[in-house]
Amino acid sequence: MNTYTGVIDRYKKYLPVTSNTPVVSLCEGDTPLIYSPEISKDLGSNFKVYLKYEGLNPTGSFKDRGMTVAISKAKEERAAAVICASTGNTSASAAAYSARGSLKCVVVIPEGAIALGKLAQALVHKARVVAIRGNFDDAFTIVRKIASDYGLVLVNSINPYRIEGQKTASFEICDFLGDAPHFHFLPVGNAGNITAYWKGYKEYYSYKKITRLPKMCGFQAQGAAPIVKGKPVKKPKTIATAIKIGNPASWKQALTAKRESKGLIEAVSDNQIISAYKFLAGREGVFVEPASAASVAGLFKLKRNGFFDKVGKKEVVIVCTLTGHGLKDPQVAIKNIKSPPVVEADEKAVLKAAGI
Ligand code: AN7
């Protein structure tokens, strides 16, 4: 029998929980680390590229790892309600875990700017969803204020329990590979995840579970790249709505991860994101949401720019985090892929249209 019951149970000795913590879990984590033959081949015979497919978490994104800890702790502290601002995935996860833990959940989102699947999730899990005429950064400012004025528990990633939970993704990768990868690629929005991964790697290193630390390589969307530009972006723009963030909360921590790991934070264009998105779905069979493809778009960009040219023949292990499932955002998928032909209900017509 499979007795896996989620990241708190598996990694509790590394997490801020006690026997008094009422664990609210949906069996998140334990996501596959999928070897990518196509990307590995593209980089060269000494490269091994793996995809950490976080879209397979219970609500379809990596947020569940942090939310199980944040909601369990909120319940332990007898919170009246939790609140978050979101580009979509945080709200989906907060709503689901709140339903599971019988907590009230308030969600503030930018109107018309979150993917359809995510909106459906927040609503169906019965969060109190409010859309504002403004962007994510405006929503975030409001929920911070409400949380501090009215004593609601904020479950955005400035909540340290979120970071604690999310660091378990690094643990899983190291447990699977037997050591840390040489490079870790991931998208950057509010910058909580890069902060969490780096914390996880450093902790495993300090416990001597791994012999090296990866270089952290974060990627923002070009129209929403405040960390790359060195200043907030007032009107962020990108097709990757999940990372459409102009003033990331964990900006400083992201720069620390970059500096300490000797990594980088760069931007990728929407075209590069969509091209990686199609590559992953069409060549590797892995469907992700656009923001998630920023990690692989970044890897392709660095490769093209000769970043790996000086590596020589030694083995290089790379992990790309794919943060959310493709089904989250069906509208972007449909818009960017050719519609199927429509023919008469006739065998010959179907064969002809299918090119058989
Ligand atoms: C698929 O849901 O910020 O750098 O409010 O949904 O830790 O913010 C989502 C972020 C990457 C960026 N990929 O992670 C939210 C939210 C996906 C995401 C990110 C998000 P962070």
Side-chain angles (χ1 to χ4, degrees), residues 62-63 86-90 187-193 242-243 245 289 323:
F62 70 97
K63 305 283 181 183
S86 184
T87 58
N89 281 323
T90 297
V188 173
N190 221 15
N193 215 23
I243 52 172
I245 293 174
E289 65 169 285
T323 44

Side-chain angles (χ1 to χ4, degrees), residues 5 20 25-26 39 75 80 82 90 95 99 110 115 125 173-174 191-192 195 207 220 241 243 259 282 286 356:
T5 55
N20 293 327
S25 173
L26 292 163
I39 304 174
K75 209 167 153 71
V82 302
T90 297
H125 291 303
I173 289 165
C174 298
T195 303
Y207 301 133
Q220 302 197 289
T241 52
I243 52 172
R259 192 188 65 245
V286 179
I356 304 281

